[in-house]
Amino acid sequence: MNSFENTKVLMALMGMEIGGAETHVLELCKALKTKGMDVYVVSNGGVYEKELIEHGIKHFKAPLHNKSPKNLVASYLGLKRIIIDNNIKLVHAHARIPAFLCGMLQKKLGFTFVTTAHAMFNNAVAYRLLTNFGDASLAIAEDIKENLLSNYKMDRGRVFLTINGINTDTFGEVQPFDHVMREFNLEPHHQKIVNISRMDKDMSQAAHKLIEIAPAIYEKNPNARIIIVGGGNDLDGVAARAKAANDALGEAVVIVTGTRTDVPQFLSLGNIFVGVSRSALEAMACGLPVVLAGGQGYLGTFTPEIRDEAIKTNFTCRGHEEVMGEDLKADIFSLMDASPNKIKEIATHAKEMVQQEYSVDRMAEDTLRLYRSVRKSERPIDALISGYYGSNNHGDDALLRAIVEDLRNIKPNIRISVISKRPKETKEIYKVDTLYRFNFWKIVKTIKQSNLLIMGGGSLMQDLTSTRSLIYYIFVMNRAAKHGAKTMLYANGIGPLTQENNKRRAVNALRKAEKITLRDKASKETLASLGFESDNVQVTADAAFRFREGDQEGATRLLDDVQIYNKQFFCVSVRAWKDLKSDFITEMAVFCDYMVEKYGLHPLFIPMQPSNDAEISTKILEKQKNRGFYLEKDFTIEEIIAIASRAEFVLGMRLHSIIYGANANTPVIGLVYDPKVSAMLDALGQSYYIDLKDIDSMRLITMAEEIMDKRDEIKSKLAATTQVLFEKSKKNPTSAHDIIDRDLF
């Protein structure tokens, strides 16, 4: 379920005439509507009102377009009535005047108030005092964000970045344009240079420069036509200058259309586009080569070389040299002379960028992220996280870090508490509130203050370790159900559950969960075997798949410390286990010796939980004839991924040693002490694993030799698979936030 289903939001802006901010709001409203939100708009009105209404979005009219005292009073009273009558709890302003009025009303009515900054704001003291950016703000470009932070002293956690999302269904396909060709006497053989912009005095520079160089363009190609689209307070000036140019040339070379709503048609008929901002992105989506030129500066033809600079200013050229006729002429001439293949190359790069990075859906998701950041609850804790934390187990600590970081990526100010065996240590490392694992009175008290109980990653619903741990986690879940906190199992593994009583207990607890995300298909199959099926169950991926980068410098320091130096090696992760065969140590030592003697590969033992792993690792090393190595110092996730990336393969008993190896695209062999190990390797598409009951050095050698032969192929497959699992892992925090945010504002 979308946590914003039926949530009411009022968009407040100056008007709905054609313009970048107005089109942004139009597309955003439509996208939020499709996501289930109840969207209202208030403005001075304009040509886009009709499209809003067609999409079921109600528009209210208020004179928000200027700051005359009369209009300010009328707008204030109108906004107040709209918000009260429609029970609006969330207001989103898109310009300084609406934001100023909404900020005043927020103090009286208590709604949540956010803004979007579409441009650089005047930093004069008087303006700063009258500007209100609400509880949080979206900035359309990085430089706008920095302006808000530096000149308006906003907290970094309250300012988010977004984009001008382009509707590629409208602008990605060629639209019928015959009516435009007929209206303006255009012919197929004409080379059409299109400029679309608001024709206000501070934005019409590119249009004026195009008219200025029209004689040179006409001289180069008498079939060239310059088409200037848009209205504004300088339209008359642009039209007069175009008429003078046409009179001098004796032909209608420059066409000034005024305000139009059929913008996609003009882009569909064009050959070259000149302009900035949203119009430039729309032209790119239509497959046109684009010359970035506008009222705030000039960057020239959009190519990969200027991509980063263009993105910084949201394609406005802000801060760059003003448009010069000679530069504009040179870039247009270059495109007029370019081969079809060159034009296709330029246009394809731009179009693919828009499709991948400037979608309307991404713009809507950025906005929902803003909304999530300001949602409020009567319960002071957003998420209480329960798991096997504070036991110096590297895998579980990685899961906690992943959960906390992923939740904060969506909502930076999220309020988190963690149940831990070592609460002080956990608090210091993860910067969260903590409580002791066996302080049951405080656990119940904290549950009563929490919106969501997250049963953190790992295998909590199992009795392989002990029935006692299962009963502990079920107790926590049952307390949450009793005291009104929603529960989510976060990328869990399920099972094994061997005792009938435990199966029944687990199923009864799971039925109370709001959402269950699982790290593998085998866990879902286990649930089905228990007779538990629900629409709330989703297979995602282990939270640790979000760790993709390695710390190579840190890895070098650690490897130097164990004195491997330039030796080739493979990683080994083993743990003490109650059912280890008596010959486990011998078989492992034989395998390690073989890899040293035949391949020159030395084993590097990595303790994922030193208290449990050190002794068994040391015994294997002592049993070997050849030298092996042991990583004694503490390590970070990024360091161990970097070490794994240098290894030939990973031989892992610990689940997260296998995940780290896979994240490094390094082949892995599993030692299966728990079905979760084989389930993970199946999820990775890897068949190299052996049950501990069948441990045999020769079988391990056969697997290792096959891996050595197919190493490049396996690495390539792992790279593709872990990327898919990385994307799936993103669904875990999104689901958590949807539950936390439901019914709030």
Side-chain angles (χ1 to χ4, degrees):
M1 178 180 174
N2 182 349
S3 69
F4 290 94
E5 194 82 34
N6 300 321
T7 299
K8 293 181 179 181
V9 59
L10 174 66
M11 299 287 177
L13 67 162
M14 295 174 71
M16 287 304 296
E17 295 292 356
I18 292 175
E22 293 80 359
T23 309
H24 176 107
V25 174
L26 173 69
E27 295 296 343
L28 176 60
C29 289
K30 288 155 56 179
L32 294 179
K33 182 77 175 177
T34 65
K35 293 180 181 293
M37 294 193 76
D38 195 0
V39 185
Y40 300 79
V41 177
V42 57
S43 80
N44 192 52
V47 295
Y48 284 145
E49 281 184 69
K50 181 181 177 183
E51 193 168 347
L52 285 172
I53 294 167
E54 287 173 352
H55 283 81
I57 297 164
K58 187 166 184 178
H59 179 269
F60 299 95
K61 193 160 185 178
L64 288 160
H65 58 296
N66 66 46
K67 54 182 180 290
S68 74
K70 178 182 176 182
N71 283 344
L72 288 175
V73 171
S75 294
Y76 177 89
L77 295 174
L79 280 165
K80 183 178 179 182
R81 180 52 51 200
I82 293 164
I83 292 167
I84 292 172
D85 287 352
N86 295 280
N87 193 28
I88 303 290
K89 301 298 183 184
L90 172 63
V91 177
H92 189 160
H94 292 265
R96 195 194 296 265
I97 295 170
F100 171 70
L101 295 173
C102 291
M104 293 175 63
L105 283 166
Q106 184 191 32
K107 295 174 183 177
K108 282 184 169 291
L109 303 180
F111 52 80
T112 300
F113 169 45
V114 297
T115 57
T116 294
H118 292 269
M120 298 291 274
F121 285 89
N122 189 317
N123 295 323
V125 174
Y127 283 105
R128 288 206 302 271
L129 293 173
L130 293 173
T131 302
N132 189 331
F133 288 105
D135 300 314
S137 185
L138 280 169
I140 297 293
E142 184 65 47
D143 58 348
I144 295 176
K145 177 179 177 179
E146 291 306 316
N147 180 48
L148 297 183
L149 294 172
S150 60
N151 292 307
Y152 290 88
K153 308 304 179 187
M154 293 186 69
D155 294 334
R156 190 165 291 274
R158 291 176 53 220
V159 184
F160 299 78
L161 272 176
T162 190
I163 54 164
N164 269 323
I166 305 303
N167 187 335
T168 52
D169 290 337
T170 300
F171 291 98
E173 302 294 333
V174 174
Q175 302 291 328
F177 52 80
D178 288 350
H179 69 285
V180 177
M181 297 282 282
R182 289 193 299 271
E183 182 179 353
F184 295 104
N185 297 315
L186 293 166
E187 299 293 340
H189 64 269
H190 285 147
Q191 190 168 31
K192 296 168 281 290
I193 302 164
V194 180
N195 167 244
I196 299 174
S197 175
R198 186 175 304 197
M199 293 300 144
D200 287 341
K201 290 182 180 178
D202 59 344
M203 301 178 72
S204 58
Q205 288 88 335
H208 283 287
K209 290 299 178 183
L210 279 170
I211 298 168
E212 179 184 308
I213 64 174
I217 291 173
Y218 181 72
E219 182 179 351
K220 181 174 180 62
N221 181 2
N223 288 319
R225 294 294 182 268
I226 298 169
I227 305 167
I228 297 173
V229 181
N233 59 33
D234 193 31
L235 178 60
D236 290 344
V238 171
R241 192 167 186 181
K243 183 179 184 304
N246 289 337
D247 289 345
L249 292 169
E251 193 165 353
V253 174
V254 183
I255 299 167
V256 179
T257 71
T259 300
R260 304 286 297 207
T261 58
D262 50 355
V263 168
Q265 285 75 9
F266 281 93
L267 293 175
S268 292
L269 65 81
N271 303 110
I272 296 170
F273 180 84
V274 176
V276 290
S277 195
R278 170 176 285 276
S279 294
L281 289 167
E282 291 170 346
M284 293 176 195
C286 289
L288 291 182
V290 169
V291 180
L292 291 171
Q296 299 183 70
Y298 185 81
L299 270 172
T301 302
F302 181 74
T303 61
E305 288 72 28
I306 69 166
R307 174 174 172 151
D308 290 346
E309 196 59 39
I311 289 172
K312 281 181 186 177
T313 65
N314 194 34
F315 299 87
T316 63
C317 310
R318 193 165 33 243
H320 290 270
E321 296 292 330
E322 67 179 57
V323 181
M324 303 298 291
E326 288 302 312
D327 293 335
L328 181 58
K329 181 172 70 175
D331 279 326
I332 290 175
F333 280 11
S334 178
L335 290 172
M336 292 172 78
D337 291 336
S339 67
N341 284 341
K342 183 63 178 176
I343 292 293
K344 184 177 180 180
E345 177 187 329
I346 292 170
T348 299
H349 163 256
K351 184 169 186 172
E352 289 177 350
M353 180 202 68
V354 174
Q355 290 172 336
Q356 294 168 11
E357 301 179 33
Y358 286 85
S359 69
V360 169
D361 190 64
R362 178 185 161 188
M363 177 174 69
E365 288 301 323
D366 288 341
T367 304
L368 294 181
R369 183 181 176 214
L370 174 78
Y371 295 168
R372 288 189 185 99
S373 77
V374 295
R375 279 188 150 177
K376 303 177 181 71
S377 168
E378 294 179 0
R379 295 193 173 208
I381 300 168
D382 289 312
L384 171 64
I385 305 176
S386 174
Y388 187 63
Y389 305 126
S391 296
N392 199 25
N393 182 308
H394 206 277
D396 289 290
D397 290 344
L399 293 175
L400 179 57
R401 179 182 154 191
I403 294 169
V404 170
E405 290 183 358
D406 283 344
L407 291 175
R408 284 175 173 160
N409 282 341
I410 298 177
K411 186 175 181 179
N413 60 346
I414 188 170
R415 301 155 298 179
I416 298 173
S417 288
V418 176
I419 300 172
S420 171
K421 189 176 180 181
R422 293 185 177 88
K424 289 183 180 179
E425 182 180 296
T426 301
K427 182 175 185 176
E428 182 179 345
I429 294 171
Y430 302 103
K431 311 304 178 192
V432 293
D433 293 328
T434 54
L435 54 156
Y436 180 53
R437 180 178 176 86
F438 296 111
N439 187 336
F440 295 104
W441 176 83
K442 190 170 183 181
I443 287 172
V444 172
K445 180 181 178 182
T446 306
I447 284 171
K448 291 177 180 178
Q449 298 174 318
S450 301
N451 280 303
L452 174 65
L453 168 67
I454 291 178
M455 302 303 291
S459 299
L460 306 183
M461 295 293 107
Q462 53 84 23
D463 59 11
L464 190 64
T465 304
S466 72
T467 292
R468 185 172 57 184
S469 68
L470 174 67
I471 290 174
Y472 172 86
Y473 293 120
I474 288 175
F475 163 78
V476 176
M477 293 174 66
N478 286 339
R479 291 302 95 186
K482 179 177 180 179
H483 297 295
K486 299 156 190 166
T487 296
M488 174 185 175
L489 269 69
Y490 193 108
N492 275 205
I494 304 293
L497 289 162
T498 59
Q499 300 180 32
E500 290 303 317
N501 282 344
N502 289 342
K503 292 177 183 178
R504 186 176 62 255
R505 288 170 176 146
V507 168
N508 288 339
L510 291 170
R511 293 198 190 284
K512 300 169 187 174
E514 190 91 2
K515 181 73 175 181
I516 298 172
T517 61
L518 303 173
R519 68 185 175 203
D520 51 56
K521 290 181 181 177
S523 294
K524 188 171 185 180
E525 291 166 0
T526 299
L527 285 181
S529 72
L530 297 173
F532 182 89
E533 293 187 9
S534 169
D535 292 339
N536 293 329
V537 176
Q538 180 182 22
V539 177
T540 56
D542 193 286
F545 279 107
R546 57 100 65 201
F547 298 112
R548 307 286 290 165
E549 300 297 325
D551 177 0
Q552 296 296 340
E553 289 185 8
T556 298
R557 287 192 297 271
L558 288 168
L559 292 174
D560 284 349
D561 185 70
V562 298
Q563 298 182 349
I564 280 187
Y565 299 118
N566 295 321
K567 291 182 174 66
Q568 288 184 294
F569 64 93
F570 61 100
C571 297
V572 183
S573 168
V574 292
R575 61 165 295 171
W577 188 244
K578 56 189 176 183
D579 295 328
L580 282 181
K581 288 179 65 179
S582 59
D583 59 351
F584 175 79
I585 291 170
T586 300
E587 293 295 322
M588 288 292 294
V590 169
F591 170 74
C592 291
D593 280 332
Y594 181 88
M595 298 310 295
V596 176
E597 291 164 6
K598 179 165 184 180
Y599 293 102
L601 295 180
H602 295 263
L604 172 63
F605 284 78
I606 299 172
M608 300 290 285
Q609 187 180 24
S611 62
N612 202 298
D613 304 355
E615 184 178 355
I616 188 74
S617 299
T618 302
K619 285 181 178 180
I620 296 170
L621 283 164
E622 290 172 347
K623 192 75 172 177
Q624 289 177 220
K625 299 174 185 176
N626 299 285
R627 187 179 181 188
F629 300 86
Y630 180 81
L631 190 62
E632 194 165 354
K633 286 192 173 180
D634 291 340
F635 51 83
T636 66
I637 296 168
E638 287 77 11
E639 286 169 344
I640 209 62
I641 289 174
I643 288 174
S645 73
R646 303 185 192 186
E648 293 300 306
F649 61 89
V650 173
L651 174 61
M653 190 170 167
R654 290 281 189 183
L655 180 71
H656 284 87
S657 69
I658 291 168
I659 292 175
Y660 294 158
N663 282 348
N665 303 330
T666 297
V668 288
I669 300 174
L671 299 172
V672 182
Y673 75 98
D674 182 313
K676 67 184 180 182
V677 177
S678 53
M680 181 55 64
L681 285 158
D682 288 339
L684 289 166
Q686 301 297 301
S687 58
Y688 302 107
Y689 52 85
I690 183 171
D691 196 289
L692 284 186
K693 297 190 298 291
D694 304 317
I695 190 71
D696 178 80
S697 58
M698 289 310 300
R699 287 185 64 190
L700 289 176
I701 288 168
T702 300
M703 290 180 187
E705 289 186 328
E706 187 173 334
I707 280 175
M708 299 295 286
D709 289 339
K710 298 180 178 179
R711 193 167 182 275
D712 290 343
E713 177 186 335
I714 294 170
K715 285 175 67 68
S716 177
K717 185 174 181 180
L718 281 172
T721 304
T722 53
Q723 180 60 37
V724 171
L725 293 172
F726 167 68
E727 294 299 330
K728 285 185 175 181
S729 73
K730 294 179 182 178
K731 296 177 181 178
N732 299 315
T734 300
S735 293
H737 276 288
D738 284 348
I739 298 169
I740 293 168
D741 293 344
R742 192 172 302 152
D743 304 324
L744 303 183
F745 273 122

